[in-house]
Amino acid sequence: MESEDEMELMMDDSNDDDEFYGGGGDDDDLDDVIMDYDGFIDHDTDDSDDFDFSSSSHSHHNHHHRSQNYAILSEADIQQLQEENITKVSTVLSIPRDAASILLRHYNWSVSKVNDEWFADEENVRKAVGLLENHIPLPDAKELTCGICFESYPRDRMSAAACGHPFCVMCWQGYISTAINDGPGCLMLRCPDPSCGAAICQDMVNKLASDDDKDRYNRYFLRSFVENNRKTKWCPSPGCDHAVDFIVGGGSYDVTCRCSHSFCWNCAEEAHRPVDCGTVSTWILKNSAESENMNWILANSKPCPKCKRPIEKNQGCMHITCTPPCKFDFCWLCLGAWTEHGERTGGFYACNRYDAAKQEGVFDEAEKRREMAKNSLERYTHYYERWATNQSSRQRAMENLHQMQTVHLEKLSDKQCQPESQLKFIIEAWLQIVECRRVLKWTYAYGYYLPEHEQAKKRFFEYLQGEAESGLERLHQCAEKEFQGYLNAEGPSKDFNEFRTKLAGLTRFSYSCFFK
């Protein structure tokens, strides 16, 4: 469950389900099953009535309720927010904008944190961030000695931070350039004097740095607003430069960027509602782990009795010869030396010794581990194949959706003599297919981790999963195959309105299976 409020709501709702499921069996146990799956589906009554389809872009396929708990920010939006925050702090604290900028970076762009700390202990804050109360000018002399290269230069070729420590322009440029090339730490640059902690403002960097260094510094400055802000994250899609500003505690963590990439704001993996982030992390790790390779080796091979190297049986007979240099001949079934086998022990195709041991229940530990590994591998394969199949089906559905929006809708409009505005039900169907494939995919990860001993919960989950899958398959087939007949028709079809009614009905039914 995502919150205690959701748990209480589902406990209230579960009372209404008792009549539907009847009075047989343990009512408390059945309520637990219903509540758990209710949390798995994670449906919100506020969401269900406002389900919003957009014909123009998959990126807007969100519930109205969900779209209110986050905002997509472009670089221009981020710059505007930065300027607004700097202005707020500068105005409230009556300090220059450069000083306000330094404070905000130090406190991770939290205006409230800056105000609280400043008014609680201004002196300590100034010391922590390197803001001097009074600006110290350069010494009034014709020539000054640089504190880095120790050369003397005219006063107009020297520069200093608010502390007044003089350094030549060349040394300043080298110092700033090195700091910028070292990474985002340059945003908190201090005076080069080892005994001084005065902050170097952005105006000074822009005045002394090269154009490339200024661009890099300003890029770090822009990104700091997102990367140092606990409620803002970059979209993880490759090449996307949008960020997501999220209202923590606002409901679902699933967000959809303007680039159409849907992801979980909490863990940055692809959108996986209703499965929790922990299950997703464990499942992804399992899919990539070497443990599955070892399980396969254990389940499908046996060690040579002599050299112990794993051997996979790739022919029908039980006579196995290990590869050189071992070349040991042995029986695949009992792992005994082949020289001890003949007609008496079953010969080429069987092993009486193994069969007798099997009937007596005599198995060594390796055989037991092999059986366990085989069963575990078969179970994992069952769930993984269905997870991967729904993932590939979703990818194809997204391609079909794009093709529908860009090519087929216009063609169908001409064939059926109907305006495109009357054909949006087809786009809605494909958007629904894409979303349902995503949810169905993650139900298999959820099902894999359901405890084996909770049989009532497992049966109820599999029943609901089957109903949802059946409804989705009917919708997908109608949108994919039946649609082709109308797209390839030579003229308007008499039963096109029936197709419209059927597809719209299947879309609503599929939505009710997955989200209500």
Side-chain angles (χ1 to χ4, degrees):
M1 302 300 173
E2 294 181 0
S3 70
E4 294 181 0
D5 293 339
E6 288 183 62
M7 175 71 84
E8 292 174 4
L9 176 62
M10 289 164 190
M11 289 179 68
D12 292 340
D13 290 343
S14 66
N15 295 331
D16 298 332
D17 294 322
D18 291 342
E19 283 186 36
F20 178 80
Y21 288 98
D26 189 339
D27 291 341
D28 293 335
D29 183 57
L30 186 55
D31 284 345
D32 291 340
V33 175
I34 294 169
M35 283 168 54
D36 186 86
Y37 195 79
D38 209 21
F40 166 75
I41 293 181
D42 197 16
H43 63 272
D44 297 317
T45 53
D46 292 338
D47 288 356
S48 60
D49 293 332
D50 294 328
F51 196 65
D52 178 31
F53 290 111
S54 170
S55 60
S56 60
S57 171
H58 176 59
S59 66
H60 298 102
H61 181 209
N62 293 294
H63 294 201
H64 292 313
H65 173 73
R66 288 193 217 171
S67 65
Q68 293 174 0
N69 70 342
Y70 68 90
I72 307 300
L73 305 177
S74 65
E75 288 190 359
D77 297 327
I78 295 170
Q79 288 174 343
Q80 182 179 344
L81 288 172
Q82 284 181 314
E83 290 299 317
E84 289 174 356
N85 288 353
I86 291 170
T87 300
K88 288 177 185 176
V89 171
S90 175
T91 302
V92 172
L93 305 186
S94 299
I95 59 176
R97 292 179 61 83
D98 272 351
S101 174
I102 292 170
L103 282 170
L104 282 166
R105 291 200 302 271
H106 182 80
Y107 289 106
N108 297 329
W109 291 95
S110 173
V111 175
S112 60
K113 184 72 171 175
V114 169
N115 292 336
D116 291 345
E117 294 293 327
W118 182 271
F119 289 117
D121 191 344
E122 178 184 339
E123 184 180 351
N124 190 50
V125 170
R126 282 185 177 275
K127 184 177 179 180
V129 301
L131 288 180
L132 302 185
E133 193 165 357
N134 297 312
H135 185 91
I136 302 173
L138 284 171
D140 189 13
K142 289 185 178 181
E143 285 194 350
L144 299 171
T145 301
C146 173
I148 294 177
C149 66
F150 300 106
E151 296 286 340
S152 294
Y153 295 94
R155 191 175 187 276
D156 61 358
R157 293 182 59 186
M158 304 291 281
S159 189
C163 56
H165 291 125
F167 301 96
C168 70
V169 172
M170 291 292 292
C171 287
W172 267 116
Q173 289 174 341
Y175 177 69
I176 291 172
S177 179
T178 300
I180 290 174
N181 287 314
D182 282 345
C186 64
L187 297 176
M188 302 305 293
L189 205 57
R190 301 297 179 97
C191 172
D193 190 304
S195 64
C196 181
I200 296 173
C201 64
Q202 189 172 4
D203 279 352
M204 191 170 185
V205 173
N206 289 334
K207 182 176 73 173
L208 295 172
S210 65
D211 290 341
D212 287 344
D213 285 341
K214 279 190 287 189
D215 290 342
R216 193 174 292 113
Y217 181 91
N218 291 330
R219 187 70 182 168
Y220 288 143
F221 183 79
L222 177 80
R223 295 187 67 87
S224 71
F225 184 83
V226 176
E227 291 162 7
N228 297 337
N229 192 332
R230 67 180 183 85
K231 67 185 188 72
T232 309
K233 292 182 181 178
W234 293 109
C235 170
S237 179
C240 181
D241 56 5
H242 289 93
V244 179
D245 187 39
F246 192 84
I247 301 173
V248 179
S252 167
Y253 283 116
D254 285 1
V255 300
T256 302
C257 183
R258 289 177 194 164
C259 69
S260 298
H261 179 64
S262 295
F263 65 99
C264 171
W265 189 87
N266 188 47
C267 67
E269 294 290 349
E270 65 170 80
H272 53 74
R273 196 185 191 211
V275 180
D276 63 85
C277 297
T279 300
V280 171
S281 175
T282 305
W283 177 253
I284 291 174
L285 181 63
K286 184 173 184 62
N287 292 343
S288 61
E290 287 296 318
S291 60
E292 290 310 317
N293 293 336
M294 294 307 299
N295 267 342
W296 189 94
I297 292 172
L298 188 59
N300 295 278
S301 67
K302 292 183 180 182
C304 169
K306 185 176 180 181
C307 69
K308 306 303 180 183
R309 284 185 298 176
I311 296 174
E312 180 188 5
K313 185 174 178 293
N314 58 6
Q315 294 183 7
C317 72
M318 301 303 167
H319 180 187
I320 305 297
T321 302
C322 188
T323 56
C326 179
K327 295 185 178 180
F328 182 66
D329 291 306
F330 64 94
C331 170
W332 176 259
L333 292 177
C334 71
L335 300 180
W338 190 252
T339 54
E340 300 173 2
H341 286 63
E343 293 298 329
R344 178 177 55 81
T345 59
F348 218 54
Y349 302 103
C351 179
N352 295 340
R353 182 186 303 168
Y354 175 80
D355 290 339
K358 188 176 180 181
Q359 289 176 0
E360 294 172 5
V362 179
F363 283 97
D364 59 13
E365 288 300 316
E367 189 73 20
K368 291 178 181 178
R369 288 198 305 272
R370 192 173 297 112
E371 284 297 319
M372 291 175 63
K374 188 174 182 180
N375 292 336
S376 174
L377 188 61
E378 287 176 353
R379 181 174 180 272
Y380 167 71
T381 301
H382 168 86
Y383 286 96
Y384 178 79
E385 283 180 348
R386 286 154 180 79
W387 180 87
T389 298
N390 277 287
Q391 167 66 0
S392 60
S393 293
R394 182 174 183 267
Q395 291 294 336
R396 287 195 297 271
M398 292 176 68
E399 294 168 5
N400 290 338
L401 170 62
H402 177 72
Q403 195 170 22
M404 186 67 64
Q405 292 171 322
T406 56
V407 179
H408 289 168
L409 208 63
E410 183 179 355
K411 182 179 177 182
L412 184 69
S413 177
D414 293 338
K415 289 287 182 72
Q416 299 299 328
C417 300
Q418 296 200 22
E420 289 189 28
S421 60
Q422 297 296 316
L423 302 176
K424 301 302 183 184
F425 70 96
I426 300 174
I427 301 298
E428 293 176 3
W430 279 107
L431 286 168
Q432 183 67 34
I433 290 169
V434 169
E435 182 69 0
C436 289
R437 284 292 176 197
R438 179 192 66 78
V439 174
L440 187 60
K441 176 183 77 168
W442 287 112
T443 65
Y444 284 101
Y446 175 88
Y448 179 79
Y449 290 107
L450 270 179
E452 288 292 330
H453 64 274
E454 297 183 12
Q455 289 300 315
K457 180 187 296 185
K458 190 175 181 66
R459 285 195 300 271
F460 185 66
F461 159 73
E462 289 175 348
Y463 164 75
L464 292 177
Q465 185 187 51
E467 288 292 301
E469 190 158 19
S470 175
L472 176 56
E473 289 300 331
R474 291 198 298 271
L475 172 62
H476 205 154
Q477 181 172 343
C478 183
E480 189 172 47
K481 295 183 178 179
E482 295 183 29
F483 165 79
Q484 289 297 325
Y486 300 99
L487 184 66
N488 299 327
E490 296 181 0
S493 304
K494 295 180 179 178
D495 58 347
F496 184 74
N497 284 334
E498 295 179 10
F499 169 74
R500 181 201 308 274
T501 302
K502 179 179 180 180
L503 187 61
L506 288 172
T507 302
R508 288 192 298 270
F509 177 75
S510 182
Y511 171 69
S512 68
C513 287
F514 280 86
F515 303 107
K516 284 192 176 181

